[in-house]
Amino acid sequence: MIEQMHEVLGPQGPFAHTITGFQPRPQQQAMAEAVAEAIADYATLIAEAGTGTGKTYAYLVPALLSGKKVIVSTGTRNLQDQLFHRDLPMVRSALNVPVSVALLKGRANYLCQYRLRLAEQEGRFASREVVDQFQRVRSWAGRTQAGDIAEVNDVAEDSPLWPLVTSNADNCMGGECPDLAECHVAKARRAAQEAELVVINHHLLFADMALKEDGFGELLPTAEAYIIDEAHQLPEVASTFFGVSVGGRQLLELARDSVLEHQHEAGDMPELVKAAETLEYRVRDLRLAFGNEGRRLWNEVRSESKVINAFTEMSDALSALHELLSAAASRGKGLENCCDRAELLQTRLSQFGEPAVSEQIYWLEVYPRTFTLNATPLAVAEPFQRFMAMRKAAWIFTSATLAVKDDFSHYARQLGLEVAATAKWDSPFDYARNALLYVPPDLPEPNSADYTDAVIEAALPVVEASRGRAFLLFTSHRALKRAAEVLVGRCDYPLLIQGSAPKSELLRQFRELGNAVLLGTGSFWEGVDVRGEALSCVVIDKLPFAMPDDPVLQARVQAIERQGGNAFRDHQLPTAVISLKQGVGRLIRDAEDRGVMMLCDPRLISRSYGKVFLDSLPPMRRTRRLDRVQQFFARMEQVPNVAVS
């Protein structure tokens, strides 16, 4: 099979004959051969494939031809849908192989018939708009085969309706559900068990790794090969799933569901409703006691008297509700489920009463209306390696951004993959011809109070030269907000600002307008694909180092230094380099794309570590002169696909 890859993806292969515009790429062929070899040998491979390599086909082709059971995991649900509904059918058709495939998402992505009926019987919705959305979902529920809520295009992903009509790991009754025969989750999991290739996402992969009990038995089928796309996201996702969290939203949902189930199964116990309402009050009191939004170490917060009192009262309210639910649990499966959830939340909450596990980071995140208490492991390599050891399988980790320069050691160390084979294929795009890297002169230090203002002043003539068509990417929401204030009234092109509309809508407007300027933060640094002239300039305000006051970073820095390491060199710098590579990757998405990458941070030049960032980027020509940037754009307009010399 390994020898086939060059032929299959070559100029005389099936893809060249069946897919319009397919271009054979040596990098793609080489990656496919490496993946095929890893699958055949049950080996572990870390593979970086630059933008334009065609890594999706490079792993799907050997996966489909391997004859083995394969699980492909990608970073987000949107990428999962794209892979399953667009890429996979094209590859399977070109190869003409009868491999059975399945798409499997997390439980919250499927309509729950039981909770749909509960929501309808309760009839309490936040607004008339949510009532209208419910009517549309109820109508769709009678037609859908898969029950995937992504099918409902006219209800936003963040609608408050979805938690009411979907289940999660806490409130799902699993095999005890009265609607199990019609359960979309159960059907999807059965299809996944039977398929030869299953497409999932990282959150689902780790839900299985963490061995969360959910009433359905093993979450994923046992595979002979795991292909992890967008693998740079894996360490962060792993930290979430190998840790413990308790959120205000979980507690409020428990209180609400307890009242609902009381109405059906324990109407003669009004004290249960009162206990649930008391818990709701105490959760909201604790949120107020936490004060302003943000992240903090739990030990810094839990000693405050108002927090101590509110935390104790909320814990007591949860215990009181659990006691009543225990007495009522025998009356029905719904109340039994609420009782189990209350017990689990009590267990998790108790960890924050006297946190003592040295390998855990205890921290708090406060949102406008809720909060989350988190216990995050300092390192995930050990539990991840335990999971890998339980399965005799090939493991392929791939992304456009895994290496720092040509070194994979940072990524490998995070997941315990030090013995893995590594490979790197640079982008086939002609960056030297089609892209220019501009580092503006005379900017103040990034910690200066007027830094964002200075960035915008430096960016305005560049945006003018590019005639809009620009992403302005920021490392903080505060900087984005300030930039928007400065630009309003000074920018001659349509401004699209993150938060003013859903991400998908902003991207749609950006493509259609053709001359817009989009201001974004983290969610626009990766997973965004705008091809053609609509995006001809990307401006990044700062090197994306994590905020120094982030509690998780603080704890990891301290742990590295206790062990005699250098936290900046071993963790902060490589993490920032990989993040910057993602942001820079937004500019050139196609062989014909051209544009200017403007990196504003003066530390690229003034600090010795700036060279590590620059050497990790694609081989663009560099300049510090604005007139060279203006000349580049002028030549773009005059001569198609000819860059300035």
Side-chain angles (χ1 to χ4, degrees):
M1 183 185 73
I2 297 169
E3 294 75 16
Q4 281 183 273
M5 297 302 107
H6 186 82
E7 296 177 7
V8 170
L9 293 165
Q12 304 303 319
F15 290 89
H17 289 120
T18 60
I19 298 178
T20 303
F22 178 80
Q23 294 290 330
R25 283 157 282 188
Q27 297 93 333
Q28 184 181 61
Q29 296 162 12
M31 179 177 171
E33 290 174 357
V35 172
E37 185 175 356
I39 293 175
D41 295 342
Y42 292 90
T44 301
L45 172 67
I46 304 174
E48 177 172 296
T51 306
T53 300
K55 64 180 169 64
T56 304
Y57 284 17
Y59 64 68
L60 283 179
V61 169
L64 289 168
L65 293 176
S66 69
K68 291 183 167 65
K69 179 92 174 186
V70 180
I71 288 178
V72 178
S73 179
T74 191
T76 65
R77 288 171 297 181
N78 288 338
L79 290 172
Q80 193 181 358
D81 284 333
Q82 176 181 304
L83 181 64
F84 186 80
H85 294 297
R86 189 190 74 181
D87 299 328
L88 186 53
M90 293 180 71
V91 175
R92 195 164 55 148
S93 174
L95 293 175
N96 192 26
V97 289
V99 176
S100 58
V101 299
L103 175 68
L104 183 60
K105 298 182 179 180
R107 187 188 290 100
N109 294 279
Y110 298 95
L111 177 73
C112 174
Q113 302 281 9
Y114 178 76
R115 291 183 64 78
L116 176 74
R117 190 168 64 253
L118 280 185
E120 183 171 24
Q121 290 171 355
E122 183 191 23
R124 291 171 55 191
F125 299 102
S127 66
R128 182 67 207 174
E129 180 185 12
V130 178
V131 173
D132 293 340
Q133 291 174 352
F134 178 80
Q135 299 297 343
R136 293 197 291 275
V137 168
R138 186 174 61 174
S139 174
W140 163 77
R143 304 188 305 271
T144 182
Q145 295 296 313
D148 187 342
I149 65 175
E151 295 174 6
V152 188
N153 297 320
D154 53 355
V155 177
E157 289 183 14
D158 59 353
S159 168
L161 174 66
W162 290 126
L164 304 181
V165 298
T166 60
S167 66
N168 56 43
D170 291 328
N171 60 33
C172 176
M173 291 191 289
E176 302 297 327
C177 180
D179 292 287
L180 182 62
E182 302 302 319
C183 177
H184 294 297
V185 176
K187 291 177 182 177
R189 291 181 179 175
R190 284 196 295 270
Q193 293 285 343
E194 296 167 2
E196 295 165 272
L197 187 147
V198 185
V199 178
I200 64 170
N201 60 56
H202 299 342
H203 287 273
L204 192 60
L205 176 70
F206 277 108
D208 191 51
M209 287 187 184
L211 302 178
K212 296 183 185 298
E213 295 294 334
D214 61 8
F216 285 106
E218 187 177 31
L219 186 62
L220 299 176
T222 301
E224 296 169 280
Y226 292 83
I227 299 174
I228 314 299
D229 199 353
E230 301 299 317
H232 64 279
Q233 300 176 4
L234 216 61
E236 183 176 348
V237 179
S239 293
T240 300
F241 275 91
F242 288 137
V244 172
S245 67
V246 182
R249 186 171 297 169
Q250 291 172 285
L251 292 158
L252 292 175
E253 285 179 355
L254 170 65
R256 178 183 177 278
D257 290 347
S258 297
V259 172
L260 278 174
E261 298 297 350
H262 155 269
Q263 294 171 357
H264 295 287
E265 300 171 346
D268 60 340
M269 293 182 65
E271 63 273 22
L272 197 153
V273 175
K274 184 177 180 181
E277 291 174 344
T278 300
L279 177 60
E280 288 184 350
Y281 296 142
R282 297 299 177 244
V283 170
R284 294 191 169 99
D285 287 345
L286 182 57
R287 164 60 191 90
L288 290 174
F290 286 144
N292 296 331
E293 298 172 46
R295 291 182 168 197
R296 281 166 284 171
L297 286 169
W298 177 233
N299 281 341
E300 296 175 357
V301 180
R302 71 187 189 98
S303 59
E304 299 174 12
S305 58
K306 60 181 179 180
V307 171
I308 293 173
N309 294 335
F311 183 85
T312 301
E313 289 177 351
M314 190 195 74
S315 299
D316 291 344
L318 178 59
S319 297
L321 177 60
H322 177 236
E323 185 176 343
L324 288 167
L325 287 169
S326 297
S330 61
R331 300 192 181 196
K333 293 300 180 184
L335 284 170
E336 183 181 344
N337 174 260
C338 288
C339 179
D340 292 342
R341 288 161 61 189
E343 183 175 1
L344 178 62
L345 288 170
Q346 276 187 292
T347 301
R348 291 178 180 174
L349 202 61
S350 67
Q351 296 188 35
F352 296 90
E354 293 292 336
V357 181
S358 60
E359 296 305 311
Q360 296 282 335
I361 308 163
Y362 295 89
W363 57 286
L364 164 72
E365 186 153 22
V366 180
Y367 305 95
R369 294 186 178 181
T370 189
F371 61 87
T372 307
L373 292 165
N374 305 280
T376 301
L378 276 169
V380 297
E382 185 176 334
F384 186 78
Q385 283 301 302
R386 282 201 303 269
F387 177 81
M388 289 181 64
M390 291 168 60
R391 291 155 171 82
K392 178 176 171 54
W395 286 85
I396 292 94
F397 302 86
T398 184
S399 169
T401 56
L402 293 175
V404 178
K405 297 169 69 172
D406 293 324
D407 183 5
F408 289 90
S409 60
H410 171 66
Y411 183 79
R413 186 168 55 248
Q414 287 179 294
L415 295 176
L417 303 173
E418 288 88 345
V419 298
T422 61
K424 182 174 180 286
W425 296 277
D426 292 332
S427 170
F429 297 157
D430 191 351
Y431 279 89
R433 175 184 175 88
N434 291 343
L436 181 68
L437 174 62
Y438 173 50
V439 181
D442 304 324
L443 284 178
E445 286 297 304
N447 59 0
S448 303
D450 60 346
Y451 182 74
T452 300
D453 291 53
V455 165
I456 297 304
E457 292 301 325
L460 275 169
V462 176
V463 171
E464 184 63 35
S466 68
R467 296 188 294 115
R469 305 184 296 174
F471 275 7
L472 273 59
L473 302 179
F474 298 89
T475 53
S476 71
H477 288 277
R478 179 183 297 176
L480 181 146
K481 182 179 179 181
R482 176 57 188 163
E485 293 171 353
V486 174
L487 281 171
V488 171
R490 296 191 61 192
C491 182
D492 296 330
Y493 302 97
L495 280 179
L496 303 174
I497 302 170
Q498 180 178 328
S500 63
K503 178 180 175 181
S504 59
E505 174 62 17
L506 290 174
L507 288 171
R508 185 193 65 78
Q509 292 181 37
F510 185 86
R511 292 185 180 100
E512 289 185 0
L513 287 166
N515 68 340
V517 176
L518 187 149
L519 279 64
T521 56
S523 63
F524 284 90
W525 282 64
E526 60 179 282
V528 173
D529 191 2
V530 179
R531 304 186 182 202
E533 292 188 355
L535 180 57
S536 298
C537 179
V538 173
V539 179
I540 291 179
D541 71 330
K542 290 182 185 179
L543 297 176
F545 288 109
M547 297 298 289
D549 59 352
D550 180 87
V552 178
L553 174 65
Q554 288 178 351
R556 287 186 173 145
V557 165
Q558 292 168 7
I560 291 170
E561 292 179 348
R562 280 198 305 269
Q563 296 167 5
N566 182 311
F568 180 79
R569 180 197 64 208
D570 299 338
H571 182 74
Q572 292 165 279
L573 178 60
T575 301
V577 169
I578 290 172
S579 181
L580 181 67
K581 288 172 67 174
Q582 280 290 327
V584 171
R586 297 317 97 211
L587 180 64
I588 303 295
R589 306 298 300 171
D590 190 85
E592 300 302 314
D593 283 358
R594 292 168 292 165
V596 169
M597 183 73 240
M598 180 175 174
L599 299 181
C600 297
D601 199 317
R603 292 175 294 183
L604 279 166
I605 308 300
S606 63
R607 301 290 197 275
S608 59
Y609 58 74
K611 191 174 187 300
V612 179
F613 285 97
L614 293 172
D615 289 348
S616 298
L617 299 180
M620 297 176 277
R621 287 170 300 108
R622 305 170 187 172
T623 186
R624 305 205 71 190
R625 290 173 49 179
L626 177 61
D627 64 328
R628 292 286 178 88
V629 174
Q630 293 166 329
Q631 186 183 3
F632 181 96
F633 283 120
R635 183 68 65 88
M636 273 180 59
E637 300 303 317
Q638 294 169 8
V639 183
N641 200 30
V642 175
V644 65
S645 59

